[in-house]
Amino acid sequence: MLNGIRFLMANETHSTTRAAGAEHRSGAADWVILSLPGLIWGASYLFIADALGAIGPGGVTLVRLAVGFLTLLCFPSARKPVLRSDWLKIVALGAFWMAFPLSMFPFAERYVSSALTGMLNGANPLFAAAVAAMIAWKLPSRRVIVGIAIGMAGTVVIGLPTLQEGRSTIAGVGMILAALVSYGVALNLASPLQQRNGSLPVVLRAQLVALVLVAPIGVRDVFHVKWAPGPLAALLALGVLSTGIAFAIMSVSAGRFGATRASSAAFLIPAEALFLGVIFRGEQVSWISIVGGAVCVTGALILRSEAAAKKPSVTLASAPAE
């Protein structure tokens, strides 16, 4: 194209190009917000498995919550007040999002591998979508139903090999599934609370509630901690990253994109947990479970495509909360 024509067209297209660039940057930022919690939590199960070498399962939960709470205190906006009328729901959020599921994982990992634990967490979006449908008291769209059905089938396939490994392993899988149900409830509770109060103030107070709830089972383990540098470093990473920074990012994501789409970041967890468990802990996972993990992630991706096709009806003003 001639230089003169380029010059004439530049004035007409400058604003359009700038808007397109801004939209592209926004899309990239959205991708990071959606994906980063999944990437961090994909390593959480390795951190938990390593931390159990220094402290009991109750202590893992208590310490990670304490460190996560202190991490969030570093964000000034997290200390902003919340509505008194929302405190009861925040207490419920502290129980369902943090105290109960974060207690289940270290207890479960005494019986199942970190890789299997992470692979089962690929079902997180499925439980969130199922709980959302029950709360709304109506059937979701056909695509969501298909996604849930495929994902749940994959979850069953992941757990099939454990049926031959004894009751303790089955119990471990049951603990993980119970934690996922709890997450499904919590993700649907979190969004309206964040819309009214901001994301970080809600998460900070929910962690405080969880600290109180898990203290009775965690204090004893803390007093019997073994001073092993590697496991303690893993415990610190579990607190700072998985319980502090990742929860802050996920809370923003849930408020901005809705519970179902935000929880779809979990599709990154299975592959990463499998990779880290095999590479760093030498864990062995049945090929049937790996196939089930792929099926489960397929269901989660179907849910994500359904959510992406719709604009969120309410957008959290997450910027003031950061």
Side-chain angles (χ1 to χ4, degrees):
M1 199 178 266
L2 296 175
N3 289 335
I5 299 178
R6 286 198 190 103
F7 176 79
L8 291 173
M9 292 183 64
N11 290 330
E12 296 178 6
T13 61
H14 175 70
S15 58
T16 303
T17 302
R18 183 172 55 187
E23 183 178 354
H24 175 74
R25 290 192 298 271
S26 176
D30 288 350
W31 186 91
V32 171
I33 292 173
L34 281 168
S35 303
L36 196 53
L39 293 173
I40 294 175
W41 280 324
S44 295
Y45 310 102
L46 175 66
F47 294 153
I48 292 172
D50 287 346
L52 287 171
I55 191 171
V60 170
T61 304
L62 181 62
V63 172
R64 73 176 291 185
L65 280 168
V67 174
F69 179 79
L70 294 174
T71 300
L72 288 183
L73 277 177
C74 296
F75 296 91
S77 58
R79 301 190 293 269
K80 292 181 179 179
V82 298
L83 296 174
R84 288 187 178 182
S85 59
D86 281 336
W87 258 105
L88 186 59
K89 292 180 180 179
I90 291 175
V91 170
L93 188 64
F96 285 108
W97 200 357
M98 300 184 189
F100 179 74
L102 297 190
S103 296
M104 288 296 98
F105 291 128
F107 279 101
E109 286 199 36
R110 295 185 302 172
Y111 310 115
V112 300
S113 67
S114 65
L116 183 62
T117 304
M119 288 171 63
L120 283 169
N121 270 266
N124 197 345
L126 312 173
F127 286 95
V131 171
M134 288 187 287
I135 291 175
W137 201 248
K138 66 178 181 179
L139 286 175
S141 69
R142 183 176 300 178
R143 184 184 294 181
V144 170
I145 293 175
V146 170
I148 292 175
I150 291 174
M152 291 300 183
T155 303
V156 171
V157 173
I158 292 173
L160 279 179
T162 65
L163 296 177
Q164 301 176 352
E165 298 178 12
R167 292 183 179 179
S168 60
T169 303
I170 295 173
V173 171
M175 293 178 192
I176 296 168
L177 295 178
L180 295 182
V181 173
S182 186
Y183 273 147
V185 174
L187 286 170
N188 285 279
L189 281 174
S191 186
L193 289 173
Q194 295 159 1
Q195 290 162 10
R196 290 191 293 270
N197 301 285
S199 58
L200 293 189
V202 170
V203 174
L204 183 71
R205 285 155 180 82
Q207 286 192 349
L208 180 61
V209 171
L211 270 172
V212 174
L213 292 176
V214 304
I217 65 171
V219 170
R220 183 178 178 180
D221 287 341
V222 170
F223 283 114
H224 291 84
V225 64
K226 299 176 183 178
W227 296 102
L232 291 177
L235 184 59
L236 182 62
L238 186 65
V240 173
L241 297 176
S242 302
T243 322
I245 294 174
F247 268 115
I249 298 172
M250 184 63 172
S251 66
V252 173
S253 181
R256 179 177 294 182
F257 305 110
T260 299
R261 188 179 178 193
S263 65
S264 69
F267 83 89
L268 296 169
I269 293 176
E272 184 181 2
L274 174 63
F275 175 81
L276 295 177
V278 171
I279 296 299
F280 291 101
R281 294 187 61 84
E283 296 173 346
Q284 295 183 350
V285 180
S286 168
W287 67 268
I288 296 177
S289 293
I290 296 174
V291 171
V295 173
C296 186
V297 169
T298 299
L301 289 172
I302 291 173
L303 293 180
R304 182 176 184 180
S305 65
E306 168 74 5
K310 300 177 181 179
K311 288 186 176 181
S313 56
V314 180
T315 302
L316 172 65
S318 55
E322 185 59 47

